[in-house]
Amino acid sequence: MFAINWDGTLGTQIATNDNISATNLFSKITTGNLAAYGSFAVKIENNITNTSDNKSKGHYYLRIDACYDKSNIEIVGDNQVCTNTSKQFYVSNIPTNASVSWTSTISLVNISTNNNVATVSVSYNGIDTLVATISYCGETYIVKKTIGVGLPVFTWFDPPVNQAIEGGDFECNEGANAQCYSASPSGKEIWFTSNFINGNASWSKLWSIPASPGGSIIWSSAINGNRNEVNVHFKSANKHLTLKTTITNSCGIVEKVYCFYSTNESCPAQLLASCNLSLKIFPNPISPSNTLTLQLNIDGDSASFADATIQLISSQNNVIVSKIGNDTFTEQLQIPALSNGTYYINVTTSCGTVTEELIINGN
C-alpha cells in the first residue's frame, strides 16, 4: 500500500504483506494510521513463474475495510437510570488503544468518564440518548443508546376546543359542542397526552357525580402506541367525572388527577383531591346499641360516601358490620350489642382506605 503523490505517482510505502498463503486468498494488508495521508494505492504483484499453478490464475478483487471491525460495537448498560443512583456504561468490542468521548443528546443526565467507561446520573426526568464517539486509527465512529431517565414524564396536548390543565379541570365551555355532552353514541370527547415516555400508563375512576352514573357517563382509556388517551362521553349536562392516570416504570410511580364535566360549573373540591383521606367518628367512646356518625374528608374537605364500603371490625380483625355508603357527606352506623373494648371503623373508597379506632364502653 502506497500513498499517492500530488502528481499521481506512488509515494511512501505505508504497508506491505508478501506472505505467500497456502490458499488462493491474499493475506490482509493492515495499517494503523491513514490520517497522515490523503490518497492511497494498492499494488498487487504476481511473482509466480509457474503458469500451471492455480494460484496464478483467475481474477483479483480489491477490498478496502475500515481500520477495525465495527459490526459488534455497541453501548452496554442498563436501559433505565433512576434518580439518586448512577449507572455505568461502556462500549463493547473496540480496539485496546481506542479512545472514547461521551455526551448525551438532550442533557438530561450528568456524565463522568474514565475513557471507555461513563458513569451516568439523573439531572431531569425523561428519555435521553447516550452518544459514544470512538477515535482510532485516524477516524471516528459514533454509537448511541437511548435510556429512560428518572420517573415517567408526560404532558397534555390541547385538543382543538378543550383545554387541559394539569391537576385541574377539562373545561367544556367553548367550541361548537359548548357543554361537552351529547345523547348520541358519537358524542364523546377525546383528551390525550403527548407521547408519554419512560413508563407504562393506566387509568382508573376516583369519583363521579352522580356516584353511580349508569349509562349517563361513559369513559374508556387506550394506549395508542405510546399516546396516553382517555375518551369521555357525557350523555347529559351537570355531570362530573374524576379520573386518575398512573404511569409507572422501574424508578417509581407518577399519578395525576383530572376532572371532566359537562357543565359550566367547575368540579367540586373532592373531585380534584389527591386521595388524602381522613375519617371523623362520633361519639367516641360509644355505648352498645347506639348510632355512630361518620364524616369522610379528602384534603380537609367533606367527601361523599357514595359506593364506599363501611365496616365495623373487631380487634381480632373480624368484620362485624358491613354496609355500602350513600351519596351523602355523613353516614350513620348502628352499633350492635357488643362487649366493651377496642374496635375499628374502616371506610374503603375508590380513592383508598381510611381506618379509625372506636371504643365501645357500656358503662
Side-chain angles (χ1 to χ4, degrees), residues 279 281-283 286-295 305 309-313 320-326 330-336 338 343-347 356 358 360:
L279 178 66
I281 56 176
F282 50 89
I286 190 172
S287 299
S289 303
N290 282 339
T291 300
L292 184 70
T293 299
L294 294 76
Q295 181 179 321
F305 281 89
T309 300
I310 303 168
Q311 295 176 319
L312 172 62
I313 298 175
I320 301 169
V321 177
S322 182
K323 63 175 286 189
I324 300 300
N326 299 303
T330 60
E331 268 288 352
Q332 309 296 316
L333 187 66
Q334 185 66 34
I335 302 300
L338 295 171
Y343 297 80
Y344 299 92
I345 301 295
N346 271 12
V347 177
E356 280 294 325
L358 175 66
I360 296 181

Side-chain angles (χ1 to χ4, degrees), residues 14 57 70-71 88 93-94 96 139 172 196 202 235 243 300:
I14 302 170
K57 299 178 180 179
K70 300 180 179 66
S71 59
Q88 289 190 331
N93 300 309
I94 60 174
T96 302
E139 67 177 36
C172 302
F196 70 88
S202 64
K235 290 194 172 183
L243 301 177

Side-chain angles (χ1 to χ4, degrees), residues 152-186:
V153 172
F154 75 89
T155 55
W156 283 92
F157 277 130
D158 288 344
V161 298
N162 304 300
Q163 184 178 10
I165 304 173
E166 181 177 309
D169 311 322
F170 289 88
E171 298 187 62
C172 302
N173 57 5
E174 57 185 290
N177 189 13
Q179 289 187 293
C180 195
Y181 69 89
S182 172
S184 71
S186 60

